[in-house]
Amino acid sequence: MSDLIDEIKQLKQERKAIILAHNYVRPELQDIADFTGDSLELSIKAKNAKAPVIVFCGVRFMAESAKLLSPDSMVLLPNSDAGCPMADMASAEKVADYKATHPETVIVAYVNTTAGVKSHVDICCTSGNAEKIINSIPLDREILFLPDRNLGGNLNRKLKRNMLLWPGFCPTHDRVTPQMIETARKLHPGAKVLVHPECDTEVVALADEALSTGGILKFVRESPEQEFIIGTETGILHRLKSENPDKKFYPLKPEMLCPNMKKITLENVRDCLKNLTEQIELSTEVMHSAVKPIEEMLSRS
Ligand code: 13P
Ligand code: SF4
């Protein structure tokens, strides 16, 4: 493995590349990345990256967002199969249709959407800034939130809004049930329950906090508590454990994995730097229109 890592370091230098990684990807990728973070943190890094090559270890919509924010950089997704099933639950055609027939409705897209969808929406949000973004929209405006019905429903409840919800969901987070929280609390009484807001509203209501992955890391870092039940993709445990060696973490569900977030391997990263594949390429039209809701989000974050 160390030969492979040396090879990656060498190629990275030759290509003047930076490696960005999401908090869910394999630990060995988080370890070689220049920066690991949540969707919002990674968007900001991608915007400010001056590197000619950005290797994105995450899923396709994240690499597409990086390309939109750094159009002059070459953005590489090391495994072209790494997609997001939730993002694929909203098609650009359907969203364009909705926009055409409901011109008064503000369309808010979670960043977990394709660049094609983003080119038809008004503003994006991540789980890290969603409350701020929704609060910035006047109360009398009708809002369509897409594609995550769970994140949208959780925001509706917390912010007392009545957004219309697209029927999408994350297969990894949607499988968490209220019973799992009750069982985990019995097993680890006193531990704080932290879940991701892509979980169902009943699950979120039973948790202590619902936070983005970056929010979970920050909460644990700053908390005086010692034990935490973690209700999100288990890739986050790598950073949680290395940043907080004295604290204890219990996954809410041991097999809580996003298969797509696990697709990229060290070999893929080496090969993508060697062969410069797969480059994210978007049409000029999509580049022009899809960046607007992301820039709008960053200006209100
Ligand atoms: P965050 O890291 O922004 O919380 O997003 C989680 C996620 O589901 C990414 O797919
Ligand atoms: Fe998509 Fe869910 Fe995987 Fe995130 S965890 S990439 S929302 S399927």
Side-chain angles (χ1 to χ4, degrees), residues 4 24 31 57 64 80 90 114 123 126 134 189 192 213 232 246 283:
L4 185 52
Y24 292 158
D31 290 343
C57 298
E64 285 185 348
S80 60
T114 63
I123 186 161
T126 72
I134 303 303
K192 285 269 168 213
T213 57
T232 192
D246 299 330
S283 70

Coordinates of all heavy atoms in Angstrom, one line a residue, residues 4 24 31 57 64 80 90 114 123 126 134 189 192 213 232 246 283:
L4 N 1.9 2.3 -3.4 CA 0.8 2.9 -4.1 C 0.6 4.4 -3.7 O 0.5 5.3 -4.5 CB -0.4 2.1 -3.8 CG -1.7 2.4 -4.5 CD1 -1.5 2.5 -6.0 CD2 -2.8 1.4 -4.2
Y24 N -17.4 10.5 3.9 CA -17.9 9.1 3.9 C -16.9 8.2 3.1 O -17.1 6.9 3.2 CB -19.2 9.0 3.2 CG -20.4 9.6 3.8 CD1 -21.5 10.0 3.1 CD2 -20.5 9.8 5.2 CE1 -22.6 10.6 3.6 CE2 -21.6 10.4 5.8 CZ -22.7 10.8 5.0 OH -23.8 11.3 5.6
D31 N -7.1 9.8 4.3 CA -5.8 10.0 4.8 C -4.8 10.6 3.8 O -3.9 11.3 4.1 CB -5.2 8.7 5.3 CG -5.8 8.2 6.6 OD1 -6.5 9.0 7.2 OD2 -5.7 7.0 6.9
C57 N -12.8 12.8 -4.6 CA -13.2 11.5 -4.0 C -14.5 11.7 -3.3 O -14.6 12.2 -2.2 CB -12.1 11.0 -3.0 SG -10.5 10.7 -3.8
E64 N -19.3 17.3 -10.1 CA -19.9 18.3 -11.0 C -19.9 19.7 -10.4 O -19.6 20.7 -11.0 CB -21.3 17.9 -11.4 CG -21.4 16.7 -12.3 CD -22.8 16.3 -12.7 OE1 -23.8 16.8 -12.1 OE2 -22.9 15.5 -13.7
S80 N -16.0 6.3 -12.4 CA -17.1 6.9 -13.1 C -18.5 6.4 -12.6 O -19.5 6.9 -12.9 CB -17.0 6.8 -14.6 OG -16.9 5.5 -14.9
A90 N -34.4 12.9 -9.3 CA -35.0 14.1 -9.9 C -34.3 14.3 -11.2 O -33.1 14.4 -11.3 CB -34.7 15.3 -9.0
T114 N -28.2 16.5 -10.0 CA -27.3 16.6 -11.1 C -27.1 18.0 -11.6 O -27.9 18.9 -11.2 CB -27.9 15.8 -12.3 OG1 -29.1 16.5 -12.7 CG2 -28.2 14.3 -12.0
I123 N -32.0 28.2 -6.2 CA -31.0 28.3 -5.2 C -30.7 26.8 -4.8 O -31.6 26.0 -4.7 CB -31.3 29.2 -4.1 CG1 -30.1 29.4 -3.1 CG2 -32.5 28.8 -3.3 CD1 -30.2 30.6 -2.2
T126 N -27.0 22.9 1.1 CA -26.5 21.6 1.6 C -27.1 21.4 3.0 O -27.8 22.3 3.5 CB -24.9 21.7 1.8 OG1 -24.7 22.5 3.0 CG2 -24.2 22.3 0.6
I134 N -33.2 28.5 3.7 CA -34.7 28.5 3.7 C -35.1 29.8 4.4 O -36.1 30.5 4.0 CB -35.3 27.3 4.3 CG1 -34.8 26.0 3.6 CG2 -36.8 27.3 4.4 CD1 -35.1 25.9 2.1
P189 N -27.0 3.9 27.4 CA -27.7 5.0 28.0 C -26.8 6.2 28.3 O -25.6 6.0 28.7 CB -28.2 4.4 29.3 CG -27.6 3.1 29.5 CD -26.9 2.7 28.2
K192 N -25.1 10.6 23.5 CA -25.8 11.6 22.6 C -26.1 10.9 21.3 O -25.2 10.3 20.7 CB -25.0 12.8 22.3 CG -24.9 13.7 23.5 CD -26.0 14.8 23.5 CE -26.1 15.5 24.8 NZ -27.4 15.9 25.2
T213 N -22.5 16.2 8.0 CA -21.4 15.4 8.5 C -20.3 16.3 9.1 O -19.8 16.0 10.2 CB -20.7 14.6 7.4 OG1 -20.3 15.4 6.3 CG2 -21.7 13.5 6.8
T232 N -25.3 8.0 10.8 CA -25.1 8.4 9.4 C -24.1 7.4 8.8 O -23.7 6.4 9.5 CB -24.6 9.8 9.3 OG1 -24.6 10.2 7.9 CG2 -23.2 10.1 9.8
D246 N -10.2 9.9 22.7 CA -10.7 9.5 24.1 C -12.2 9.3 24.1 O -12.7 8.9 25.2 CB -10.2 10.5 25.1 CG -8.7 10.6 25.2 OD1 -8.1 9.5 24.9 OD2 -8.2 11.7 25.4
S283 N -21.8 20.7 -20.6 CA -22.1 21.6 -21.8 C -21.9 23.1 -21.3 O -22.1 23.4 -20.2 CB -23.4 21.4 -22.4 OG -24.4 21.9 -21.5

